[in-house]
Amino acid sequence: MQIVFASNNKNKILEIQSMLPETIKILSLESIGCHEEIPETAETIEGNAILKANYVTQKYGFNCFADDTGLEVTALNGEPGVYSARYAGEQRNAEDNMNKLLEALSDKDNRKAQFKTVIALNLDGKQHLFTGIARGEITLEKSGNQGFGYDPIFKPEEYQETFAQLSLEIKNKISHRGKATLQLLDFLKANK
Ligand code: IMP
């Protein structure tokens, strides 16, 4: 069985392929000749994951899954949420995004936040959604240099370190993306 992962991130594709039996082959967008930028214009994380998966299935006819992630901060009514990548502007710069978030929380006591990943899977005419959540809080300052995005200012529940201070192995076990991916893999293994 072949299934497209609507992502251009080669590492993400290799990682998922390595966790699946050889009978399930993960295809990249490049390998199916999809070189255009897929629109991410929905107003929710779920909506964007669905948009991306549907784009590939409708235009190219493949079974497909796509993911979308956002950081939801309680005191900011769930912002930046679906706008996490471009919170501080279209330059999509992680430092600018973190600085803006720290500033927005400077007068707030409640620093609770969660990362949410939604994976939308189109399989044989049906759609399935998998959600992974990592709860935690936004720290007062940046710590650590691993990972990407908001990792230096996100401290997951039950840990004293930020995502950027934890090893990738631990982060993958407890992260939003790790949890959503595990659900997808279990589903694919059971259904294919
Ligand atoms: P995407 O949907 O995976 O592209 O994620 C959207 C944005 O959310 C990214 O550009 C990052 O700013 C942020 N983000 C997603 N996952 C993580 C993570 O694991 N750590 C830190 N930031 C993340």
Side-chain angles (χ1 to χ4, degrees):
M1 198 241 339
Q2 296 190 322
I3 183 159
V4 175
F5 182 7
S7 167
N8 283 314
N9 186 328
K10 285 206 175 82
N11 288 324
K12 275 193 193 176
I13 292 175
L14 285 176
E15 194 177 291
I16 287 213
Q17 181 69 72
S18 74
M19 294 186 235
L20 283 166
E22 278 173 21
T23 48
I24 304 175
K25 178 146 178 45
I26 303 297
L27 304 176
S28 64
L29 288 172
E30 205 177 21
S31 73
I32 61 161
C34 175
H35 302 292
E36 63 271 27
E37 192 150 322
I38 302 180
E40 293 188 41
T41 49
E43 285 177 8
T44 60
I45 295 166
E46 289 80 359
N48 268 344
I50 291 170
L51 263 188
K52 288 186 267 187
N54 284 356
Y55 183 93
V56 171
T57 299
Q58 284 161 11
K59 189 157 178 203
Y60 294 87
F62 280 94
N63 283 331
C64 175
F65 62 89
D67 68 351
D68 200 58
T69 297
L71 175 63
E72 301 177 326
V73 180
T74 305
L76 303 177
N77 301 315
E79 283 187 8
V82 72
Y83 303 109
S84 294
R86 53 204 142 114
Y87 184 45
E90 284 306 323
Q91 73 277 20
R92 293 171 172 251
N93 181 279
E95 286 295 321
D96 294 349
N97 288 341
M98 285 191 286
N99 291 338
K100 180 169 174 180
L101 184 54
L102 289 175
E103 177 61 31
L105 286 179
S106 59
D107 61 346
K108 309 269 195 254
D109 292 330
N110 183 353
R111 302 186 71 92
K112 282 200 166 72
Q114 63 178 30
F115 274 111
K116 180 161 96 175
T117 293
V118 176
I119 298 177
L121 166 69
N122 290 334
L123 188 69
D124 303 335
K126 282 201 183 128
Q127 188 162 77
H128 310 268
L129 296 183
F130 307 96
T131 302
I133 286 179
R135 292 194 177 82
E137 62 184 44
I138 303 302
T139 52
L140 292 169
E141 53 189 39
K142 299 169 200 161
S143 309
N145 48 25
Q146 316 221 50
F148 68 101
Y150 297 88
D151 279 349
I153 58 169
F154 183 82
K155 188 188 82 60
E157 261 179 6
E158 290 166 22
Y159 283 82
Q160 296 313 313
E161 302 90 352
T162 66
F163 265 169
Q165 293 172 301
L166 293 170
S167 69
L168 193 57
E169 199 187 344
I170 292 180
K171 186 187 164 190
N172 282 342
K173 267 197 196 128
I174 61 174
S175 82
H176 44 297
R177 194 174 301 95
K179 290 176 184 168
T181 304
L182 211 60
Q183 291 173 47
L184 169 77
L185 295 176
D186 284 348
F187 182 88
L188 286 176
K189 284 185 212 159
N191 289 277
K192 277 288 155 188

